[in-house]
């Protein structure tokens, strides 16, 4: 299981670092937050809007659960098909859980139930 977790972690970290680097511009900063001990990964967007309001928004939130090596997607606040992108990078659908969908509906998602 440890090898699978490491492989998936490498995929997630590379993907999130790349996303963060490409998304950040002169106005909006994207920060990648990574806790390799607990296998938690987030990207947050921070910026000030035109009205002077500060925004700190979670864009992505993922976790790899070491017990079974499944990648849980808790938040995807973009229009990107993250599950498909992860499948294309080598994570099978059977190891991807759409954690933001109620458990009883996950069987219809085409991904892991849990």
């Amino acid at each position: 299981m440890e090898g699978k977790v490491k492989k998936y972690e490498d995929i997630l970290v590379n993907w999130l670092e790349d996303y963060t680097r490409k998304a950040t511009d002169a106005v909006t900063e994207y920060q990648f937050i990574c806790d390799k001990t607990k296998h938690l990964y987030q990207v947050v967007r921070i910026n000030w809007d035109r009205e002077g309001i500060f925004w700190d928004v979670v864009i992505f939130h993922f976790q790899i659960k070491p017990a079974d090596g499944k990648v849980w997607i808790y938040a995807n606040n973009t229009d990107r098909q993250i599950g498909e992108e992860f499948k294309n990078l080598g994570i099978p659908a059977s190891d991807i859980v759409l954690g933001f969908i109620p458990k009883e509906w996950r069987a219809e998602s085409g991904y892991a139930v849990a």
Side-chain angles (χ1 to χ4, degrees):
M1 194 62 59
E2 192 174 312
K4 181 164 108 171
V5 170
K6 174 70 172 122
K7 175 186 173 187
Y8 293 172
E9 180 176 75
D10 289 345
I11 290 170
L12 292 181
V13 167
N14 289 334
W15 190 90
L16 289 164
E17 284 177 341
D18 186 58
Y19 180 89
T20 302
R21 185 176 51 260
K22 289 178 180 175
T24 296
D25 60 28
V27 176
T28 304
E29 180 180 355
Y30 287 77
Q31 296 179 345
F32 171 46
I33 302 165
C34 176
D35 180 341
K36 289 187 176 185
T37 303
K38 295 180 182 172
H39 305 287
L40 292 164
Y41 315 90
Q42 284 190 337
V43 169
V44 296
R45 183 186 75 219
I46 58 172
N47 67 311
W48 291 89
D49 70 13
R50 292 181 184 147
E51 287 78 39
I53 298 171
F54 180 75
W55 290 89
D56 180 1
V57 179
V58 173
I59 303 301
F60 301 115
H61 181 184
F62 309 132
Q63 180 180 22
I64 303 171
K65 298 214 176 172
D68 58 11
K70 293 189 189 289
V71 175
W72 283 70
I73 300 173
Y74 295 122
N76 172 17
N77 291 307
T78 71
D79 59 357
R80 297 178 75 143
Q81 298 297 315
I82 300 299
E84 292 302 310
E85 291 189 40
F86 289 169
K87 282 179 12 184
N88 292 336
L89 293 171
I91 303 173
S94 60
D95 280 345
I96 299 171
V97 180
L98 302 181
F100 55 87
I101 294 177
K103 187 174 184 175
E104 57 274 8
W105 297 353
R106 289 186 201 143
E108 305 298 320
S109 72
Y111 296 98
V113 174

